[in-house]
Amino acid sequence: MVAEHPLPTPVAADPVAAAPIVVASNRGPVSYALREDGSLVAGRGGGGLVSGLSEIGRDPRGAAAVWVCAALGEGDRLAASRAGRRLDPADTGGLRVRMLDIPAGTFSAAYNGVANSVLWFAHHMLWQTPLEPVFDKEFRSQWADYETYNTAFADAIAEEAAEGAVVLVQDYHLTLVPALLRARRPDLRVGHFSHTPWAPPDYYRLLPDDIAEQVLRGVLGGDRAAFLTRRWAEAFAACCADVLGAEVVREEHGGAAAVRFAGRTTLLGVHALGADADFLRERAHRPDVEERLTALREQIGPGRRTILRVDRTELSKNIVRGLHAYRRLLEDHPHWRGRVTHLAFAYPSRQDLAVYRDYTAEVKRVADAVNAEFGTADWQPVILHVKDDFARSLAAYRMADVALVNPIRDGMNLVAKEVPAVSDHGCVLVLSREAGAAAELAGEAIVVNPYDVEATARALHVALLMDPAERAERAERLATAATRLPPARWFTEQLHALEGDAT
């Protein structure tokens, strides 16, 4: 879920001093909207990655840290150009933030053309291979912009980092940065963290050979490459061996511990980001959530069960098959008609890409079709919300009987962890085996093949019939596993690992 999260209390730090810790990510902790009068209003940056990385300000050493990010829109670019080297700390919750004013055309080509349309698709294995991908002259131009974009980050980090600083580079947008930094500042301790899955070698090799090598060499430029699950770490190691001929160093139990290539060793790590239980539970009982809880109950009607999903309309989230599974549930088990409602919160994502606009439209079409086929005067089978509302999502978390989390492929999926942490009376989790969260939660969830609509419908039926006592016990165990590594510990664990590598 795209969750709000409190930014740290402002701290007193030299606004221009070199930083002992640098975090780099495409999206930063603040975003700016441009008003009609030309003034700017600052708001919190969205996304789970921002929530996790905002914990930098809670670490005692984080007060002097710098966060390097990109300007994402017109308001951001204007703020960056006005700010000079760093943004006003009053806008950032006290964090020292350098926002890069990368030209809009370069940013769009790097972000939409390469990061979201190529690397994201590769790692989530989403291409319709009879037709895509096509790596042509246009792609090569976009790749040049991706290189320029990564170079801008590397130059800024090199300027911001103190001697021997620790640098945490985030995600598929910035795969080239570790190697670029190695060339500029060999004194730095550099880690790269992948928030997505990593593609297995056969699929990864769909990328042009030189690009596949360049991405791997980029990540291996760091001292450490970290992932959300062991599965993704092993896939990365396999790609390094297959594409580069690198040596994979194994632990006693056989797991990949490091990759040796070109005279350097890059350690591998796994940090399974968990839900922030303390924040979520407190936030879920504020008045605005109580208001939305009352409104949802009135909209659903008394005595009805609920199946919940909360997702961005990203292609990997598999929302359409989830709707088809719910339709199949109503077809195969007519006694659920009028007795269960599907709350589908599908918040539009990446609407600047046509394929995402088309997918969002298909979600709406299928939801409307289910309602037209099964709806009655007093029962709406699918309640679809497409406007992002954090308080409403938390209200739904609290009341849901079943949570459906069925991505085609997902690095982690925090919704699967957040629902058990917030649920009032225990919620059954129907979980895709292709979600990274399955590595921790499969034992207490009902696990499904995300492509199998029939099996998912059966899983929903079993979940709805589960004894309340068993449901509550499973939910309690799920919540314990889901909150084992909250964002603060997730961040500091990586920081300590990088610092430990230097000793």
Side-chain angles (χ1 to χ4, degrees), residues 250-271:
R250 300 273 171 192
E251 299 171 342
E252 288 186 7
H253 61 72
V259 175
R260 288 179 182 152
F261 179 70
R264 296 192 66 257
T265 299
T266 301
L267 300 179
L268 303 181
V270 175
H271 306 277

Side-chain angles (χ1 to χ4, degrees), residues 294-308:
T294 299
L296 283 173
R297 285 172 174 157
E298 290 177 353
Q299 187 175 16
I300 292 167
R304 291 193 174 112
R305 313 289 294 281
T306 55
I307 297 171
L308 171 69

Side-chain angles (χ1 to χ4, degrees), residues 51-76:
S51 296
L53 293 182
S54 293
E55 296 298 333
I56 187 174
R58 305 182 193 280
D59 187 274
R61 295 153 298 170
V66 168
W67 191 331
V68 179
C69 61
L72 303 187
E74 183 180 2
D76 285 359

